[in-house]
Amino acid sequence: SQTIHQWPATLVQPVGSPLSLECTVEGTSNPNLYWYRQAAGRGLQLLFYSVGIGQISSEVPQNLSASRPQDRQFILSSKKLLLSDSGFYLCAWSVVSGGTEAFFGQGTRLTVV
Amino acid sequence: RKEVEQDPGPFNVPEGATVAFNCTYSNSASQSFFWYRQDCRKEPKLLMSVYSSGNEDGRFTAQLNRASQYISLLIRDSKLSDSATYLCVVNPAGTYKYIFGTGTRLKVLA
């Protein structure tokens, strides 16, 4: 069966520090991969998605970036965090053909102080 | 206009009640629709997909109205454990994106 791993679960980082969140998927090949952010009391905002290695689509201009160095690995990064980057970051995957549901990792709760 | 809109609630209902949520979407070419459930401080989890002919899973019934561009979720015989936020999700045609509504909070009261 397919599983998605996301870590760390919680993170407290100072303003201006770098960020690296990692997500890996097991049990499937060539998945679509997604990064979402959920601010406190708000909906899920799509940040990036990828349909293949090295391919990244950005949805929202910000100081975040994403990379997909391997088929089942998706990384979210920032060189310098802002207070507004605080939130619940969720990685998700879906089958490459689309039209089916997405499955989420357990999320990383990031607090920028 | 937001791509996917939901009434944020909260809907406070007694145990055993029937409750319905609606969700509207703006992209008429959208092809796939889902309802997710999100518990406090947890990741969203798929509740059910929404099919054109409507579908039922136990106490839950989902309907799609393409002409009016809305989907609905009906929960019968509400349980305390149904308390959560229900997220409407749309997959626009020709994209791999999942667009989420802001969610509707449900509280089932004893």
Side-chain angles (χ1 to χ4, degrees), chain A residues 8-31:
Chain A
T10 58
L11 193 58
V12 180
Q13 292 283 98
V15 168
S17 63
L19 174 74
S20 181
L21 301 180
E22 188 167 341
C23 170
T24 60
V25 180
E26 296 178 356
T28 187
S29 296
N30 196 26

Side-chain angles (χ1 to χ4, degrees), chain A:
Chain A
S1 64
Q2 302 89 357
T3 56
I4 178 168
H5 302 280
Q6 190 181 343
W7 65 92
T10 58
L11 193 58
V12 180
Q13 292 283 98
V15 168
S17 63
L19 174 74
S20 181
L21 301 180
E22 188 167 341
C23 170
T24 60
V25 180
E26 296 178 356
T28 187
S29 296
N30 196 26
N32 296 331
L33 296 172
Y34 306 83
W35 279 112
Y36 285 85
R37 176 172 62 201
Q38 186 174 36
R42 308 286 293 277
L44 274 73
Q45 179 186 37
L46 179 61
L47 301 176
F48 301 95
Y49 68 96
S50 170
V51 298
I53 296 174
Q55 188 281 330
I56 306 293
S57 295
S58 174
E59 288 295 298
V60 181
Q62 64 230 320
N63 68 323
L64 299 171
S65 62
S67 62
R68 185 171 177 173
Q70 300 181 44
D71 180 41
R72 291 170 290 174
Q73 184 184 29
F74 206 23
I75 297 172
L76 182 69
S77 303
S78 173
K79 292 182 179 178
K80 288 186 177 183
L81 285 169
L82 307 173
L83 287 174
S84 58
D85 291 324
S86 294
F88 191 35
Y89 287 83
L90 291 152
C91 180
W93 75 273
S94 70
V95 297
V96 68
S97 58
T100 60
E101 64 269 28
F103 300 92
F104 285 83
Q106 293 186 329
T108 295
R109 196 162 299 280
L110 171 67
T111 304
V112 182
V113 295

Side-chain angles (χ1 to χ4, degrees), chain B residues 3-14:
Chain B
E3 290 188 77
V4 180
E5 293 198 70
Q6 292 182 254
D7 181 343
F11 284 61
N12 296 323
V13 302

